[in-house]
Amino acid sequence: MTQRSSEVGAGDGFGPDLAEVFGPSQQDGGPELVQLLTPEGERVDHPGFRFDTEERAEDEVIRGFYRDMVLTRRIDVEATALQRHGELGIWAQLLGQEAAQVGAGRALRPQDFVFPTYREHGVAWCRGVDPLDLLGLFRGVDQGGWDPDDKNFGLYTIVIGAQTLHATGYAMGMQRDGVVGTGDPDRDAAVIAHFGDGASSQGDVNEAFVFAASYNAPVVFFCQNNQWAISEPFERQSRIPLYQRALGFGFPGVRVDGNDVLATYAVTQAALQRAREGQGPTFVEAYTYRMGAHTTTDDPTRYRLSDDLERWKLKDPIARVEAYLRRNGLADDDFFGAVQAEADDLGVRLREGCRALPDPSPLSIFDHVYAELTEELEVQRDGFAAYLESFEGVR
Amino acid sequence: MTQRSSEVGAGDGFGPDLAEVFGPSQQDGGPELVQLLTPEGERVDHPGFRFDTEERAEDEVIRGFYRDMVLTRRIDVEATALQRHGELGIWAQLLGQEAAQVGAGRALRPQDFVFPTYREHGVAWCRGVDPLDLLGLFRGVDQGGWDPDDKNFGLYTIVIGAQTLHATGYAMGMQRDGVVGTGDPDRDAAVIAHFGDGASSQGDVNEAFVFAASYNAPVVFFCQNNQWAISEPFERQSRIPLYQRALGFGFPGVRVDGNDVLATYAVTQAALQRAREGQGPTFVEAYTYRMGAHTTTDDPTRYRLSDDLERWKLKDPIARVEAYLRRNGLADDDFFGAVQAEADDLGVRLREGCRALPDPSPLSIFDHVYAELTEELEVQRDGFAAYLESFEGVR
Amino acid sequence: MAQTQKVTLAKALNMGLRKAMEDDPKVVLMGEDIGKLGGVFRITDGLQKDFGEDRVIDSPLAESGIVGTAVGLAMRGYRPVVEIQFDGFVYPAYDQIVCQVAKIQFRSQGKLKMPMVIRIPFGGGIGAVEHHSESPEAQFAHTPGLKVVACSNPVDGYWMIQQAIASDDPVIFLEPKRQYHADKADLDDTATPEPLFTSRVVRAGSDVTVLAYGPTVKTALKAAEAAAGEGRSLEVIDLRTLSPLDMAPVYESVRRTGRVVVTHEAHVNLGMGAELAARIAEECFYSLEAPVLRVGAFDTPYPPSRIEEDYLPDLDRVLDAVDRSMGF
Amino acid sequence: MAQTQKVTLAKALNMGLRKAMEDDPKVVLMGEDIGKLGGVFRITDGLQKDFGEDRVIDSPLAESGIVGTAVGLAMRGYRPVVEIQFDGFVYPAYDQIVCQVAKIQFRSQGKLKMPMVIRIPFGGGIGAVEHHSESPEAQFAHTPGLKVVACSNPVDGYWMIQQAIASDDPVIFLEPKRQYHADKADLDDTATPEPLFTSRVVRAGSDVTVLAYGPTVKTALKAAEAAAGEGRSLEVIDLRTLSPLDMAPVYESVRRTGRVVVTHEAHVNLGMGAELAARIAEECFYSLEAPVLRVGAFDTPYPPSRIEEDYLPDLDRVLDAVDRSMGF
Ligand SMILES: Cc1ncc(C[n+]2csc(CCOP(=O)(O)OP(=O)(O)O)c2C)c(N)n1
Ligand SMILES: Cc1ncc(C[n+]2csc(CCOP(=O)(O)OP(=O)(O)O)c2C)c(N)n1
Ligand SMILES: [Mg+2]
Ligand SMILES: [Mg+2]
């Protein structure tokens, strides 16, 4: 009953065949996918982007990426296990998205600011957020324990897309602070806004594009297209590659292999640099795959085929860096062993730390609703305190 | 402080220079503007679109357009005057947008459905809505007096952009009713959604694009870019031509000379036909100019230069059709005189009819809040009736 | 022949939706993940398989888009049933709901109907993260043109969802999510249900009237049970309909008891309890032995889940209010 | 040296905004048409000219975008003052307001502040078309984390807008649009204003307490004048703050009068009057001679403007309620 046309833009008066302009959306990300490291671990060139570690030694940087990804994955694995053991209420897994997040996270300068979703554990890691602070939210002891201004990493945002507007406004603030386009690399700053393929459908996200374009705000819209919004495949949200959305708003978009940490790093770095220089917003679509469930309460077997998953396993973001490092003799067993040991230590720390996270006090309900407690709330708090006391010794 | 880059898309890794792909946005609408009748009244060809009146005699149709536009303008002039005389609370003028509206309105088939803004007086005229019914809303005696299902013309919508989603949903209903892509010209139907350049920034409008693309809904998004959203110039909403927005959502967009009734008709007709055939949504940007104030309470001298206005006067949508008809001997003074007389009659009818529009009864406040009056409201109504009665003879 | 089976609220709603879809081909469901997945709470489980993608529509991730296109479908003669995934995600659709859905009948002088149901799993107690435990009912009940109902048990769930879909008015349909899988009840699908917009005494009593709806009905019933042990007789009314309110059984009860406690999970300030208190005081002024007391969430945002049970009204806080009421 | 001048509410707000911008360079204004045009009501007239486009920001036409980017600006240390063009257009921003603006301090345990003011011209009586005459205050007052105030006169307008901007909490700032150009008052800009979150007795009386805010303060004062002619003494309180409520002066008054009428333009059902009635009944139970009576708009959508004066509370309906109160 619902018709679908095979072609978009028939080559009639409605302009060139869009499929020709944009290229087809292909299962493997299409020809437009920027890649610098193949799934087999081979370096390849790209005419538009190159892997530029600035002053730092390249091998060292790549080993660092490897370590970041392994530790990030370990955080994810531990948290998933902690949820299974009832220590967390829920957990949003990032399995498979490590390269997209570490590539993006490491492209940031200290003065840049990040607006995450609820799944940016790898970016949080790169920003120095203690993973235990991430667990607090999912355990239900707080709603984000870190100080956003300390880490330049905002709180997790659960309402889909809301943070893209905050990011744009924050970037407008940077413009007003005079930290954009000054030419001073330690001063010029940009914002990165994370969101998913599903989020691209939200009004807020598209309004963020409008505002960012209108004010030429220094913000990078970094979309991890992990092919799924819970049970809905990417095709429900868009029939053409997502990065092309940006073109309709008047700023550039690019699709990068989100399982390739080098390419993600390179593209994000270039996009952030554009922003810092005052050239305005960019859309980066990191083409990747959610290897796990949406969250620990989700059951993907209800809606997707395991074939897909198997195909994506061959593109594992960590395996390809390991292959590259080994093949080129850039890291030895000692290195890999050390990273493994570090991951194990982290695992222990998370398991123990999570269980030790204190529950908030019931009376903390009344804290920080306002800058100062109102009289109204003081009455409610005092009444509740008295009520709680009345049970002392009783229950 | 706020930086602007002169170029969008630097031709680096972020793909081709967007300005090259899209062409520059030019004051006169740019080279992409579809035009079939010049401001001087000369017919010109366009490779993508031609003026096709189907079975009807072309001259007759064009004379009809002329009549529609003159009468539409008269409605507007009379309503503006009625507001000045205190007979209307406010009026949203369409001066200058007659061709865009009559072109779009006449491209419709009876079974198509229209979702207007608050300014679609010309489309309403084409759908056979009594102009007096339009006045009711602005006089404050009702909120839209016509029957949408009778005229296939929805009620005016004031919340910017909301109707674009209704249009998309209605089009999804048509798909489910099996009246799309059947090949039967009397059966296949489409929806047209009107909105302005300002509205293009609203989340709802962009969500409508997402839904229409996702479901391939038979809807034409018809945007009258009249260069202004109250006091804000078009450039505040978008830095590239608006029709290009559609490309980012995966369906075609086209910019047509909205002061050229032939071109607007041709483009809208083709877009509607695509929709009826099941080829999905199209975006039509009718490039035009709001010659008057935003509404009768607005004062455009506070924010725009008269130069612009003077330039656009030369592109008057009615004058160019008159020039064409006269130059080619397709209409004589009798014709023009008759249209003028008809307009005068209409003016009289509107003036008299408007003053005679009855005020609603106070108790009508309680009508149609729900399909049936609830007990709660019955009590409020009865109480109010008694209260009103208590004043009888008193005031 | 009565067909009785034991079902959860989740199952009852699923059965009710199925029945409504069988009865009327114009009923279509829309929402995020309601198709293959059957919704995150599985309320629409199996319906897409049986009724197809055109009637059980997985939508793009945009709530305003969902409700806005549902408005268009309704204008075209359909009866859309929208699922909002969690209470906290209804707000992007708020504009479409209060400015469009609520007003279209009025605006069109009844020429257009708006037979839409917006299903919202609401309330807390499931250990969820932020935005997943809200109680937004008062905001909708404050909006003329909408009707608002809340079911509290499987039997009501089965009937009320069908009645809401059959209604020509837009109905905000609130489902107490923590009850979805909590208890089973005997459902006789040949019974005749009570009308949708009615309240009901669910436990008779004589000392204090306790008003509740949705998730707090169970709390109120437990409180009544506990109070009975102390020789105190609570009458519990399940309001079921929040707009319009069905005050007749409430007034009748209050005139007998003279004391009222209202309990809901929403914030006390400007919650349903405020309206009930105002109406009861006006109508039963001389019968009241004590002011109407309200037991709800504190006037703070929903806290982290580890302390949500402190935040939400519970049996003890209801009994505490009963004590205070008796103290007047 | 006292500088007294006669100003309208519109002018007073304009002066207050200017003063706030002069005092603190972090104050930025955002909204539709607030720049060159000075806003459709001219409240920001001349400010863009004097403070530049970076501080008086004409925004794209998208309310969620305006409030959402204002959130980001606030996070970066700015103090955004947002103008919503008309009450009925605040709803596209509702999600950002109730889920983000209201909750960010709480969510971040006070690490982030949210010093934002959202200015909303509200109420009816100006003969406008649909969506231009709404009174959405109860919905915001129901939302913890927001503060809500309403000014009723030029002098308050001047001070309250500055105080709201200086507040570290987000403030919904309601401006009675039909008062913008209605009356002039003497403004002494060297005076010391009362604190923002306080209510005030604006006319002393002894028989009935009338509670009002925003546009109905004038109505209440007129009613008091008329009642005085009939020998009845009304005490009028301008609530000024709707969240938090400042109940002390209200309770003090009610304990003296024993009778209360609340009047607002919002729907009665779940309007501010409901909350006031509930609190007053609880606190002043033994002082009340009559139930709190509410005079507001009927529980229907806002009607066509030709009958808006029938719809809105007026002097006669307030007096009618006073009569009914005295009749108890
Ligand atoms: C406004 C809103 N609607 C619905 C949800 C429920 N929800 C949480 S995650 C999710 C899917 C998001 O998909 P995507 O944007 O692709 O991000 P991903 O989870 O794949 O990282 C949904 C629907 C929500 N959090 N917010
Ligand atoms: C949601 C919303 N916000 C603000 C307004 C106030 N308003 C009415 S018309 C208008 C400008 C609309 O501009 P555009 O979309 O270009 O249409 P035009 O008036 O030029 O036809 C604005 C801001 C509104 N009606 N709805
Ligand atoms: Mg995704
Ligand atoms: Mg415009």
Short mmCIF file of all heavy atoms in Angstrom, two decimals, chain B residues 196-198 224 226-229, ligand 4:
data_model
loop_
_atom_site.label_atom_id
_atom_site.label_comp_id
_atom_site.label_asym_id
_atom_site.label_seq_id
_atom_site.Cartn_x
_atom_site.Cartn_y
_atom_site.Cartn_z
N GLY B 196 6.03 29.23 5.21
CA GLY B 196 6.87 30.35 4.81
C GLY B 196 8.34 30.06 5.01
O GLY B 196 8.73 29.02 5.53
N ASP B 197 9.15 31.01 4.58
CA ASP B 197 10.59 30.87 4.75
C ASP B 197 10.96 30.79 6.24
O ASP B 197 11.80 29.99 6.64
CB ASP B 197 11.33 32.02 4.08
CG ASP B 197 10.72 33.39 4.39
OD1 ASP B 197 9.49 33.54 4.16
OD2 ASP B 197 11.43 34.27 4.86
N GLY B 198 10.30 31.59 7.05
CA GLY B 198 10.58 31.53 8.48
C GLY B 198 10.26 30.17 9.05
O GLY B 198 11.03 29.60 9.84
N GLN B 224 6.41 29.50 0.36
CA GLN B 224 6.51 30.83 -0.22
C GLN B 224 7.63 31.58 0.50
O GLN B 224 7.45 32.05 1.62
CB GLN B 224 5.19 31.58 -0.08
CG GLN B 224 4.15 31.10 -1.09
CD GLN B 224 2.75 31.53 -0.72
OE1 GLN B 224 2.40 32.68 -0.87
NE2 GLN B 224 1.95 30.61 -0.22
N ASN B 226 8.95 34.58 0.89
CA ASN B 226 8.63 35.99 0.61
C ASN B 226 9.69 36.90 1.23
O ASN B 226 9.45 38.09 1.41
CB ASN B 226 7.22 36.33 1.09
CG ASN B 226 7.07 36.22 2.59
OD1 ASN B 226 8.04 35.95 3.30
ND2 ASN B 226 5.85 36.40 3.08
N GLN B 227 10.83 36.31 1.53
CA GLN B 227 12.04 37.03 1.97
C GLN B 227 11.98 37.51 3.41
O GLN B 227 12.99 37.95 3.96
CB GLN B 227 12.37 38.23 1.06
CG GLN B 227 12.33 37.93 -0.42
CD GLN B 227 13.29 36.82 -0.84
OE1 GLN B 227 14.37 36.71 -0.29
NE2 GLN B 227 12.90 35.98 -1.77
N TRP B 228 10.83 37.43 4.05
CA TRP B 228 10.70 37.97 5.39
C TRP B 228 9.88 37.07 6.30
O TRP B 228 8.89 36.47 5.87
CB TRP B 228 10.03 39.37 5.37
CG TRP B 228 10.88 40.38 4.67
CD1 TRP B 228 10.79 40.74 3.37
CD2 TRP B 228 11.98 41.10 5.24
NE1 TRP B 228 11.78 41.65 3.06
CE2 TRP B 228 12.52 41.90 4.20
CE3 TRP B 228 12.58 41.15 6.50
CZ2 TRP B 228 13.63 42.73 4.39
CZ3 TRP B 228 13.67 41.99 6.70
CH2 TRP B 228 14.18 42.77 5.65
N ALA B 229 10.31 36.99 7.53
CA ALA B 229 9.51 36.42 8.61
C ALA B 229 9.32 37.58 9.58
O ALA B 229 10.24 37.92 10.32
CB ALA B 229 10.22 35.26 9.27
MG MG E 4 8.08 34.78 5.00
#
